[in-house]
Short mmCIF file of all heavy atoms in Angstrom, two decimals:
data_model
loop_
_atom_site.label_atom_id
_atom_site.label_comp_id
_atom_site.label_asym_id
_atom_site.label_seq_id
_atom_site.Cartn_x
_atom_site.Cartn_y
_atom_site.Cartn_z
N THR A 110 4.38 2.03 11.81
CA THR A 110 5.65 2.00 12.67
C THR A 110 6.70 2.84 11.92
O THR A 110 6.89 2.64 10.80
CB THR A 110 6.17 0.65 12.85
OG1 THR A 110 5.20 -0.19 13.42
CG2 THR A 110 7.42 0.58 13.64
N ILE A 111 7.13 3.85 12.71
CA ILE A 111 8.24 4.71 12.03
C ILE A 111 9.59 3.97 12.13
O ILE A 111 10.19 3.78 13.27
CB ILE A 111 8.38 6.14 12.72
CG1 ILE A 111 6.92 6.80 12.72
CG2 ILE A 111 9.33 7.01 11.93
CD1 ILE A 111 6.36 6.95 11.35
N ASP A 112 10.02 3.49 10.98
CA ASP A 112 11.42 2.79 10.96
C ASP A 112 12.47 3.80 10.83
O ASP A 112 13.67 3.71 11.45
CB ASP A 112 11.46 1.93 9.82
CG ASP A 112 10.37 0.92 9.84
OD1 ASP A 112 10.05 0.32 10.97
OD2 ASP A 112 9.80 0.54 8.71
N MET A 113 12.28 4.94 10.06
CA MET A 113 13.34 5.96 9.88
C MET A 113 12.51 7.33 9.61
O MET A 113 11.76 7.29 8.71
CB MET A 113 14.15 5.64 8.75
CG MET A 113 15.27 6.72 8.33
SD MET A 113 16.38 6.05 7.07
CE MET A 113 15.63 6.77 5.65
N PRO A 114 12.68 8.29 10.36
CA PRO A 114 11.99 9.59 10.22
C PRO A 114 12.34 10.16 8.85
O PRO A 114 13.36 9.93 8.37
CB PRO A 114 12.52 10.40 11.33
CG PRO A 114 12.97 9.44 12.40
CD PRO A 114 13.44 8.31 11.69
N TYR A 115 11.30 10.78 8.28
CA TYR A 115 11.44 11.43 6.89
C TYR A 115 12.29 12.67 7.21
O TYR A 115 11.88 13.64 7.82
CB TYR A 115 10.04 11.80 6.45
CG TYR A 115 10.10 12.31 5.02
CD1 TYR A 115 10.64 11.60 4.03
CD2 TYR A 115 9.57 13.59 4.78
CE1 TYR A 115 10.62 12.15 2.66
CE2 TYR A 115 9.46 14.09 3.57
CZ TYR A 115 10.04 13.39 2.43
OH TYR A 115 10.02 14.00 1.18
N ALA A 116 13.64 12.61 6.75
CA ALA A 116 14.41 13.76 7.11
C ALA A 116 15.54 13.79 6.11
O ALA A 116 15.75 12.90 5.19
CB ALA A 116 15.18 13.57 8.43
N SER A 117 16.22 14.95 5.91
CA SER A 117 17.46 15.10 4.92
C SER A 117 18.49 14.03 5.27
O SER A 117 18.82 13.79 6.46
CB SER A 117 18.03 16.38 5.14
OG SER A 117 17.06 17.32 4.59
N GLN A 118 19.04 13.41 4.22
CA GLN A 118 20.08 12.39 4.39
C GLN A 118 21.39 12.89 4.04
O GLN A 118 21.44 13.84 3.23
CB GLN A 118 19.74 11.11 3.67
CG GLN A 118 18.21 10.59 4.14
CD GLN A 118 18.24 10.16 5.49
OE1 GLN A 118 19.20 9.64 6.08
NE2 GLN A 118 17.12 10.52 6.22
N PHE A 119 22.41 12.23 4.29
CA PHE A 119 23.78 12.65 3.98
C PHE A 119 24.05 12.76 2.47
O PHE A 119 24.85 13.44 2.04
CB PHE A 119 24.89 11.73 4.69
CG PHE A 119 24.91 10.38 4.11
CD1 PHE A 119 25.72 10.04 3.06
CD2 PHE A 119 24.11 9.41 4.68
CE1 PHE A 119 25.67 8.74 2.54
CE2 PHE A 119 24.08 8.10 4.28
CZ PHE A 119 24.91 7.72 3.12
N TRP A 120 23.31 12.04 1.70
CA TRP A 120 23.61 12.01 0.24
C TRP A 120 22.73 13.23 -0.51
O TRP A 120 22.76 13.31 -1.61
CB TRP A 120 23.29 10.71 -0.44
CG TRP A 120 21.75 10.24 -0.28
CD1 TRP A 120 20.74 10.51 -1.20
CD2 TRP A 120 21.22 9.42 0.71
NE1 TRP A 120 19.67 9.93 -0.70
CE2 TRP A 120 19.87 9.21 0.47
CE3 TRP A 120 21.80 8.75 1.89
CZ2 TRP A 120 18.94 8.54 1.28
CZ3 TRP A 120 20.96 8.05 2.69
CH2 TRP A 120 19.53 7.99 2.27
N GLY A 121 21.97 13.94 0.35
CA GLY A 121 21.16 15.04 -0.27
C GLY A 121 19.72 14.86 -0.23
O GLY A 121 19.04 15.90 -0.39
N ASP A 122 19.20 13.68 -0.47
CA ASP A 122 17.81 13.43 -0.61
C ASP A 122 17.20 13.41 0.76
O ASP A 122 17.77 13.44 1.84
CB ASP A 122 17.56 12.00 -1.21
CG ASP A 122 17.82 12.01 -2.64
OD1 ASP A 122 18.33 12.90 -3.20
OD2 ASP A 122 17.64 10.86 -3.27
N LYS A 123 15.81 13.68 0.75
CA LYS A 123 15.17 13.51 2.02
C LYS A 123 14.39 12.11 1.94
O LYS A 123 13.82 11.71 0.85
CB LYS A 123 14.06 14.55 2.01
CG LYS A 123 13.40 14.75 3.31
CD LYS A 123 12.53 16.00 3.41
CE LYS A 123 12.15 16.35 4.80
NZ LYS A 123 11.39 17.57 4.90
N MET A 124 14.49 11.30 2.99
CA MET A 124 14.09 9.94 2.97
C MET A 124 13.49 9.60 4.35
O MET A 124 14.05 9.93 5.35
CB MET A 124 15.16 8.98 2.50
CG MET A 124 14.69 7.65 2.38
SD MET A 124 15.99 6.63 1.62
CE MET A 124 15.35 5.00 1.83
N GLY A 125 12.50 8.77 4.31
CA GLY A 125 12.02 8.19 5.55
C GLY A 125 11.36 6.67 5.19
O GLY A 125 11.25 6.37 4.02
N GLN A 126 11.03 5.99 6.30
CA GLN A 126 10.59 4.54 6.08
C GLN A 126 9.64 4.39 7.13
O GLN A 126 9.81 4.57 8.23
CB GLN A 126 11.73 3.48 6.11
CG GLN A 126 11.27 2.21 5.84
CD GLN A 126 12.46 1.19 5.85
OE1 GLN A 126 13.30 1.33 4.94
NE2 GLN A 126 12.49 0.25 6.65
N VAL A 127 8.43 3.62 6.68
CA VAL A 127 7.50 3.26 7.74
C VAL A 127 7.09 1.80 7.33
O VAL A 127 7.24 1.37 6.22
CB VAL A 127 6.14 4.18 7.79
CG1 VAL A 127 6.60 5.55 8.12
CG2 VAL A 127 5.44 4.05 6.53
N THR A 128 6.60 1.09 8.42
CA THR A 128 6.03 -0.22 8.02
C THR A 128 4.50 -0.03 8.42
O THR A 128 4.19 0.43 9.56
CB THR A 128 6.60 -1.29 9.02
OG1 THR A 128 8.06 -1.28 8.69
CG2 THR A 128 6.00 -2.72 8.80
N ASP A 129 3.68 -0.47 7.60
CA ASP A 129 2.28 -0.51 7.78
C ASP A 129 1.67 -1.59 8.70
O ASP A 129 2.49 -2.39 9.13
CB ASP A 129 1.52 -0.30 6.44
CG ASP A 129 1.48 -1.62 5.60
OD1 ASP A 129 1.54 -2.77 6.16
OD2 ASP A 129 1.25 -1.46 4.45
N ALA A 130 0.47 -1.63 8.87
CA ALA A 130 -0.21 -2.56 9.91
C ALA A 130 -0.14 -3.94 9.33
O ALA A 130 -0.24 -5.01 10.13
CB ALA A 130 -1.65 -2.09 10.10
#
Side-chain angles (χ1 to χ4, degrees):
T110 301
I111 307 300
D112 304 317
M113 182 172 92
Y115 185 59
S117 296
Q118 303 299 321
F119 67 90
W120 63 87
D122 288 6
K123 197 168 190 180
M124 185 174 171
Q126 178 176 302
V127 303
T128 301
D129 70 23

